Amino acid sequence: MNSGKLSVRASVLLILPLLVLLSFAYIAPLVTLIPASLPDGDTGKYTRIFTEPLFRSVLLRTLRISLEVTAIVLVVAYPLALITWLAGRWRRLLILIVLFPLWTSILVRNYAWVVILGRVDLLNTETAVLIGMVHVMLPFGVLPIYGSFLQLDASLPKASSSLGASPWQTFRRVLLPLTGPGAVAAGALVFVMSLGFYITPAILGGPHSMFMANLVDQQVNRFLDFGQGAALAFVLLATTFLSVLIARRVFNIDSMLGNGR
C-alpha cells in the first residue's frame, strides 16, 4: 500500500462503523415506518392528512410558525453577529450571553416563559410559541452568521463609508452579500429544526397550537393509531428533506460556498 494513500479496503473499514450507525439510526426506522403507514397498501392514512381540517391545519401551522421563527431569528441575529468587531472583552461577554441558553435545559427555559407570559395573558397562544421558539433558536441563527463576519475585514464599513455609502447601503451592498452563505445556512438550520419542535408548543401553546410532532404523539399515545402516527411522521420527514432541497436550489448554496461549476 502506498504510504500516502489509503487502499479501498482500508477506506471501507474506516467508514464501516459510521455506515452501521447510520443504518440503525436512520435507515432501519424508515424501513419500519413506511409499511406501518400503509396498512395493506392503503394510502388512506396519507389522504387523511391533507383532507381532514385538523391534520391540514396543524401541518400548515407548523410550516407557517417555523418560517416566522426563521425570519425573526435572522433579523435579530445579524446585529448580534456584529459583536465580532467589538473589543475582545466585550465580544467574549456577548458571545457568552448568546450561547448561555444552549447550556440550559429547554424544559427549564419553557417553564420560565410560562411564568413570564402567564403574567401578560399570552400563555397558550401562538405568540407564546413563537417567543419560546425564537429564544431557543437564536444561538443557531447567530453562530453561522457570526462565522461569516469573522472572515471579513473589520475595515470594510469604514472603507464603504469613505466612498459615500450610508450605513444601510454598506449593509445591503457590502456586508449582506459577503455574509450570505452564513445567513442561508442559519436560515436552513433554524427552519429545519423548528419543524420538529415538540416541547415548546406543548407547554406554551396548549392543544390549540399543536405542531406536527405533538400530533404524532397524540395519535400514537392517546389514540393508539400507530399507522396514522407513522404517516404523520413520514410527512414531517419528507417536508424537512424537501425544505432542504428547495433552499439548496433557490439560494444556489453550492455556488455561494464557492463550489459552483
Side-chain angles (χ1 to χ4, degrees):
M1 182 179 69
N2 228 336
S3 59
K5 296 182 179 179
L6 288 174
S7 67
V8 174
R9 182 180 179 183
S11 300
V12 170
L13 289 176
L14 283 174
I15 65 172
L16 187 59
L18 178 61
L19 291 176
V20 172
L21 176 63
L22 291 176
S23 298
F24 279 103
Y26 295 101
I27 299 176
L30 280 177
V31 170
T32 58
L33 186 69
I34 297 175
S37 66
L38 294 167
D40 301 322
D42 183 15
T43 60
K45 302 291 186 182
Y46 288 96
T47 304
R48 188 182 176 196
I49 296 174
F50 300 101
T51 56
E52 285 202 12
L54 172 63
F55 291 169
R56 189 170 62 246
S57 65
V58 171
L59 176 59
L60 293 176
R61 182 188 302 120
T62 302
L63 292 170
R64 175 172 52 80
I65 296 182
S66 296
L67 283 171
E68 291 172 355
V69 168
T70 303
I72 294 172
V73 165
L74 288 178
V75 169
V76 176
Y78 257 102
L80 290 176
L82 287 171
I83 60 179
T84 54
W85 289 338
L86 293 176
R89 182 171 59 183
W90 288 107
R91 180 172 65 186
R92 287 192 292 271
L93 175 61
L94 287 175
I95 291 175
L96 184 65
I97 293 173
V98 170
L99 294 180
F100 184 74
L102 293 178
W103 304 329
T104 308
S105 167
I106 189 172
L107 197 60
V108 173
R109 281 179 278 169
N110 279 298
Y111 277 114
W113 279 115
V114 168
V115 175
I116 296 171
L117 297 175
R119 295 174 178 173
V120 292
D121 295 327
L122 284 176
L123 199 59
N124 296 325
T125 64
E126 286 189 6
T127 302
V129 176
L130 191 65
I131 292 172
M133 290 179 64
V134 168
H135 181 225
V136 174
M137 289 287 98
L138 190 57
F140 298 100
V142 171
L143 291 177
I145 301 175
Y146 173 78
S148 295
F149 273 105
L150 278 178
Q151 301 175 25
L152 302 183
D153 190 334
S155 64
L156 280 175
K158 293 181 180 179
S160 177
S161 178
S162 68
L163 294 173
S166 66
W168 169 245
Q169 288 175 323
T170 298
F171 174 76
R172 182 172 60 87
R173 303 181 65 177
V174 179
L175 299 181
L176 188 58
L178 291 174
T179 56
V184 172
L189 180 63
V190 170
F191 180 71
V192 168
M193 292 181 67
S194 296
L195 289 174
F197 259 63
Y198 171 80
I199 295 176
T200 301
I203 294 177
L204 300 181
H208 300 294
S209 300
M210 285 195 302
F211 265 40
M212 286 288 284
N214 305 106
L215 194 58
V216 171
D217 174 70
Q218 181 194 71
Q219 294 297 312
V220 172
N221 292 319
R222 184 176 177 183
F223 300 124
L224 301 180
D225 192 342
F226 298 98
Q228 190 64 64
L232 287 164
F234 186 78
V235 168
L236 179 59
L237 181 63
T239 302
T240 303
F241 277 117
L242 184 61
S243 302
V244 173
L245 291 176
I246 291 174
R248 182 177 180 183
R249 191 169 192 85
V250 170
F251 295 103
N252 199 10
I253 293 177
D254 290 340
S255 177
M256 293 177 69
L257 295 176
N259 297 324
R261 299 292 181 184

